[in-house]
Amino acid sequence: MPGTRYRLAIAEPQTHHFVVDLQVEDVAGEARLVMPSWTPGSYLMREFPRNVVTFAAVDGAGRPLPFRKADKNTWVVDAPADGRLTARYLVHADELSVRTSHLDASHAFISGTSAFMYVEGREREPVTVEVQAPEAWKV
């Protein structure tokens, strides 16, 4: 089924970092990955991309794909020849509020708008989210 698959991995929560893998198939042409600049219930523009520490993209065979930052919240990734795209990015989450994500050794609060990029033009497709958290945590 087409759609976007996210895997959120919390391996070392004490670092305040988590990794997001965004996977899509049937990508024709370059892909514009956008991080929202707003969150429901808040009437200010947000700077969520400032917390993206690293970003990389690969095709279905794991070959790196060139990308560029188009503006403050958009990454443009070259077309994967096989149509399969995985973007992996590291997010810093150390602001305890209802508008952002926070992560430490005791818990995680992940606000979707501050964590998940989306592929422009595919916002209405199905989405699945897998969370890999420390074994003792409840998700």
Side-chain angles (χ1 to χ4, degrees):
M1 172 176 13
T4 303
R5 291 179 305 284
Y6 296 100
R7 183 175 62 230
L8 190 147
I10 303 169
E12 298 177 324
Q14 71 280 5
T15 67
H16 305 287
H17 289 155
F18 59 88
V19 174
V20 176
D21 285 344
L22 176 160
Q23 298 177 320
V24 291
E25 295 185 8
D26 302 323
V27 177
E30 68 182 21
R32 295 177 57 83
L33 279 56
V34 181
M35 183 164 265
S37 16
W38 60 273
T39 193
S42 179
Y43 300 99
L44 299 174
M45 296 302 284
R46 300 289 167 192
E47 299 287 336
F48 299 131
R50 77 173 189 265
N51 293 318
V52 175
V53 179
T54 61
F55 180 93
V58 297
D59 66 12
R63 292 179 295 255
L65 293 170
F67 67 89
R68 64 183 166 78
K69 190 95 182 279
D71 58 41
K72 71 177 185 172
N73 65 325
T74 307
W75 288 256
V76 179
V77 180
D78 282 5
D82 62 4
R84 296 171 55 205
L85 166 66
T86 297
R88 171 174 281 185
Y89 52 98
L90 181 73
V91 177
H92 181 73
D94 193 21
E95 183 180 342
L96 191 56
S97 82
V98 296
R99 295 175 301 277
T100 57
S101 295
H102 183 263
L103 173 64
D104 65 24
S106 69
H107 78 283
F109 173 76
I110 307 299
S111 172
T113 54
S114 70
F116 298 118
M117 295 181 188
Y118 61 89
V119 179
E120 190 174 77
R122 297 180 72 159
E123 298 91 52
R124 299 205 182 275
E125 292 182 8
V127 170
T128 58
V129 178
E130 173 190 346
V131 178
Q132 296 174 335
E135 191 173 310
W137 287 18
K138 293 181 181 179
V139 176

